[in-house]
Amino acid sequence: RILEYAATLEPKCPPTAVVKKGQASAAVAAEQKSSWRDLSIAKRMEHALVKGIDEHIVKDVEEARTCGEFRRPLFIIEGPLMDGMNVVGDMFGAGKLFLPQVIKSARVMKKAVGHLIPFMEEEKRLAMEESGVYDESESNAGVFVIATVKGDVHDIGKNIVSVVLGCNNYKVIDLGVMVPCETIIQACIDHKADILGLSGLITPSLDEMVTVAKAMEKKGLKIPLLIGGATTSKMHTAVKIEPQYSGPVVYVLDASRSVPVVQSLLDEKVQDEFIEDTRETYAEMREEFYAGLEDRKYLSLEASQAKGLKVDWAKEPAPTKPSFIGTKTFIDFPLENVLDAIDWNPFFQVWQLRGRYPNRGYPKIFKDENVGAEAKKLFEEAQAMLKDIVDNKKIKLRGIAGFFPANSDGDDILLYEDDTRSNVDGKLFTLRQQAEKDTEEPYMALSDFVAPVDSGVPDYVGMFVCSAGFGLDEMTEKFKADGDDYSYIMAEALADRLAEAFAEVLHEMTRKDLWGYAPDENLSAEDLLKVKYQGIRPAPGYPSQPDHTEKDTMWRMMKVKEATGVELTESLAMLPAASVSGLYFANRCSQYFSVGKITQDQVKSYAERKEMPLEVCEKWLAPTLAYEP
């Protein structure tokens, strides 16, 4: 009986204060619930901000407004609300809060301020009626203008930086995406910006950032310029952007680094030393870069072609003919069919949650003693939103796949109109590795993976576009209207994951059915993400083919915009942003590789073959050039 009784008790309760199971946690929860709600009004608001609890914030703000302690609504914002956000900023900087928590705090802050805005506007109206004067001065740590540059549509990183800086009392002017250079410069002037931040994902954005830096110099601006985004780097910032602008230029790796960088740039006590140290670092990096260019050896285009991948096509299995020639469109592809193919690792990277060895990556991250609990909570909330998206069909998956008779011709791939192969309907142009290798490895180009014209082997090439962006704007607009940064960043991150998962599923369908070159493939979701299948799907603008302009051929051949609604911007980013595209290569010799830097002889040949002016070609290939144009 004693053992039976002991089994009903909380295991960790002391013998002098026995507590039955369930009562302890309930008591603690009740105590916690009552404890913070019994605090002073200022401390309640601070607690709500730090914990990201928005349940009571409107009620608390209204109590603060009417209690007589704060003469004006603005004083509530500048007092207890900003005090709370300062605590959030300090804890984030110290690693005691993580990004998802900070963005939830911002949601609470926006809800609080949103309640006060009508009262502030009424106060202004009455003051103007009585005296014609109203003090609109507001205190902030500085004005930060931020934009995704012209032609680029990706904004998750930019949105996160905006929220994090807002949490640290910076006034953020977010200009959105695809913002022209002139608009950015004028916004800096109009808003009396203290700092400008530029963001971009695709490689053409790197050149656009150089354009903005030159424009800032021409306009005589002196404010710091911050550079960030997936395609940017410290080296590119040092070599290409900083020399164009006499003001401070700083590369920022991610949102968590933005606050200390901005603080250092605006703090008069440390700004001179910080700027000088950054300039010295970038000057050293430029020296290393140009010294590396001189030291690095390259083969000529002719020599690298001679050392390309050699395939004995007579001994290779005959290429499989796809089940159809032309295109197949998928409108409203079932969301349920892609859920198991989601790769969650990039999702946690967006939220800057990184486990330490041995708990790196999903699902091991949940075991990490530092970020595990927050990662688990984030994942559960993502699952809830994903369920809502699927159950209510809030996002539509659209895609297209196309297959075309093809043969290589040197470094180009000929796409034929039909299987008679009498008419060439288009060409894919490829780039070849030229950086000298210490091994006997071949110098590859994508054309190596397609049977040459003179082999007599009928081969094929595929291409695809997948999007999970249709319906996303409607979702995010509602969240933005509610001041819910957390939910709209979550929605964008999930849409990106769904687009990539759709691409994974469509590639599997291609291998097993649509093209059918691996009908007996039977791989787990984990094996799919580890690319254990035959064939590749490289994307234009990425290492195996760094030229984004190849998308133009894909969009023309498949009539992508007409069939799916996915279109290209002037910088050849895809709209909607949550979209993926690429080519399909099926032969077993196909493999991923990086072209690396290329020399002028290849660029000239490439421009001539594409019938593109050399200077235009060099602009598109700028990050890949092994020389200064």
Side-chain angles (χ1 to χ4, degrees), residues 58 61 139 182 196 251 272 353 367 373 430 507-508 510 608:
V58 170
V61 168
S139 63
E182 303 77 24
L196 169 63
Y251 167 71
D272 290 342
L353 292 176
K367 298 177 183 178
T430 76
H507 194 190
E508 183 180 21
T510 292
E608 288 171 4

Side-chain angles (χ1 to χ4, degrees), residues 109 113 230 251 284 319 326 342 353 545:
M109 182 68 169
V113 173
Y251 167 71
E284 291 170 1
I342 291 177
L353 292 176
Q545 170 44 295

Side-chain angles (χ1 to χ4, degrees), residues 449-567:
F449 308 147
V450 181
V453 173
D454 57 14
S455 70
V457 175
D459 209 343
Y460 301 87
V461 164
M463 52 188 74
F464 74 94
V465 177
C466 293
S467 180
F470 294 95
L472 180 62
D473 283 349
E474 290 78 3
M475 278 188 73
T476 56
E477 284 304 318
K478 182 182 183 303
F479 293 138
K480 289 177 184 178
D482 293 340
D484 190 351
D485 298 310
Y486 180 76
S487 293
Y488 86 73
I489 292 172
M490 175 74 82
E492 288 182 330
L494 288 176
D496 281 349
R497 291 300 88 224
L498 288 169
E500 293 284 359
F502 185 16
E504 195 68 70
V505 169
L506 186 57
H507 194 190
E508 183 180 21
M509 291 168 58
T510 292
R511 296 189 303 272
K512 296 168 74 170
D513 179 35
L514 303 179
W515 194 331
Y517 62 84
D520 300 323
E521 177 185 292
N522 185 22
L523 298 175
S524 66
E526 184 179 359
D527 287 339
L528 290 177
L529 296 178
K530 290 180 178 178
V531 196
K532 291 189 175 181
Y533 45 74
Q534 180 180 318
I536 58 173
R537 58 170 192 274
Y542 287 83
S544 298
Q545 170 44 295
D547 181 14
H548 282 274
T549 67
E550 287 297 287
K551 290 179 195 164
D552 282 329
T553 301
M554 295 167 56
W555 257 249
R556 181 184 66 80
M557 294 287 292
M558 295 195 293
K559 296 182 173 56
V560 175
K561 182 179 178 181
E562 297 84 347
T564 66
V566 181
E567 51 189 308

